[in-house]
Amino acid sequence: MGIVNVTPDSFSDGGLWLDPGRAVAHGLELVAEGADLIDVGGESTRPGASRITGEEELRRVLPVVRGLVAGGAAVSVDTMRASVARAAVEAGACLINDVSGGLADPGMAAAAARSGVPFVVMHWRGPSDAMDGLAGYADVRADVVRELDRQVDAVVSAGVDPGRIIVDPGLGFAKDRDGDWELLGGMDELTRLGFPVLVGASRKRFLGTLLADPVTGAPRPARDRDAATAAVSALAAARGAWAVRVHDVAASADAVRVGSALRRVETRGGRHPRTAAMSGS
């Protein structure tokens, strides 16, 4: 899943793709680099970000969704608003990616149900301008799985087809650095929920902290975290993730192939796929 942020204030690429023509061209470049989906978002959800109006979000998003669909791309819309989700699906989007998992807008689950497209339910505890204060957990893996399961139950009760649900642990959203690593290490617990898992680690703070300057302690700048993001992509694929959401598609597309190949070996009893085929397995 390649990211196209049509925003002035996203944490690593804010302002780069505000022009609809440039945003569409960038999205099509990501497709050429290996993206299966282009995730278009018009509202930043970086830590501390404030909400924008629905009208402004629509103004930013719809021309890009239409342009990408016309160019042959499969498009997901990154939004917490039912009105934006509905309009984007009408414009050709084939997936709704709601970082609030249906909690920010009471009408979102019903809108997702009526749309008939897949719906990403991300673990969420509160808005971006408050989420850093909501990162307290008794056991982050168990708590996130339990709360995510509760969010899924709510959207299913509102009519969303369970077969169209994708879950996301919400790395960086009301999580501290240690919590993000714990969740990546607990992928098996997430996959046991029975839904495809989306992992969004791209350029996030926990990677910047891991790669901090050894002298000054300053976090690695966001745009210099793509190699680490690709490493996470390989690990996520090896542990059964459905997709990874990334800014730099080329590196992660290769990384996903590596992780997927390793997973195939593990599921075939430790033999290389070619060796297994030669033996008739």
Side-chain angles (χ1 to χ4, degrees):
M1 181 184 283
I3 299 168
V4 176
N5 286 320
V6 194
T7 60
D9 55 346
S10 291
F11 74 96
S12 77
D13 60 354
L16 290 179
W17 316 116
L18 269 176
D19 175 76
R22 290 190 66 198
V24 171
H26 179 58
L28 295 177
E29 287 174 3
L30 297 182
V31 171
E33 292 173 359
D36 301 296
L37 276 167
I38 301 299
D39 196 40
V40 178
E43 181 176 40
S44 175
T45 53
R46 62 175 173 77
S50 298
R51 301 297 307 270
I52 61 171
T53 66
E55 291 77 11
E56 175 63 14
E57 189 179 357
L58 284 167
R59 187 190 67 77
R60 295 176 183 178
V61 165
L62 287 183
V64 180
V65 172
R66 292 186 183 115
L68 286 168
V69 171
V75 177
S76 59
V77 60
D78 174 8
T79 184
M80 295 186 284
R81 285 189 171 92
S83 59
V84 176
R86 283 192 298 268
V89 171
E90 288 171 5
C94 61
L95 182 146
I96 299 166
N97 180 17
D98 179 2
V99 300
S100 81
L103 295 175
D105 184 338
M108 177 62 93
R114 286 192 295 270
S115 75
V117 304
F119 183 49
V120 177
V121 178
M122 195 191 83
H123 175 263
W124 191 78
R125 281 186 162 185
S128 295
D129 59 2
M131 66 182 178
D132 280 351
L134 301 173
Y137 299 87
D139 179 327
V140 66
R141 292 187 190 182
D143 291 351
V144 167
V145 168
R146 183 178 62 256
E147 292 170 21
L148 195 50
D149 195 38
R150 189 161 60 234
Q151 287 178 244
V152 167
D153 285 346
V155 302
V156 169
S157 295
V160 176
D161 180 353
R164 294 186 180 274
I165 290 174
I166 297 150
V167 297
D168 180 340
L171 301 179
F173 287 80
K175 319 289 188 308
D176 59 19
R177 173 189 60 191
D178 292 339
D180 289 331
W181 288 116
E182 281 287 331
L183 290 168
L184 283 173
M187 280 282 296
D188 288 348
E189 294 165 56
L190 290 164
T191 57
R192 280 198 291 270
L193 284 171
F195 302 99
V197 177
L198 173 65
V199 174
S202 189
R203 300 180 178 175
K204 288 192 173 175
R205 288 181 296 177
F206 74 105
L207 296 177
T209 302
L210 176 72
L211 304 171
D213 186 288
V215 176
T216 67
R220 177 81 60 85
R223 290 181 65 81
D224 295 331
R225 302 171 190 169
D226 287 333
T229 297
V232 173
S233 294
L235 293 169
R239 292 180 176 179
W242 167 78
V244 292
R245 181 180 181 274
V246 297
H247 299 84
D248 177 24
V249 165
S252 275
D254 287 349
V256 163
R257 292 188 186 98
V258 171
S260 297
L262 179 60
R263 184 169 180 81
R264 286 195 299 272
V265 169
E266 292 173 341
T267 57
R268 295 186 187 200
R271 289 180 294 168
H272 188 280
R274 183 174 294 175
T275 305
M278 290 172 64
S279 68
S281 300

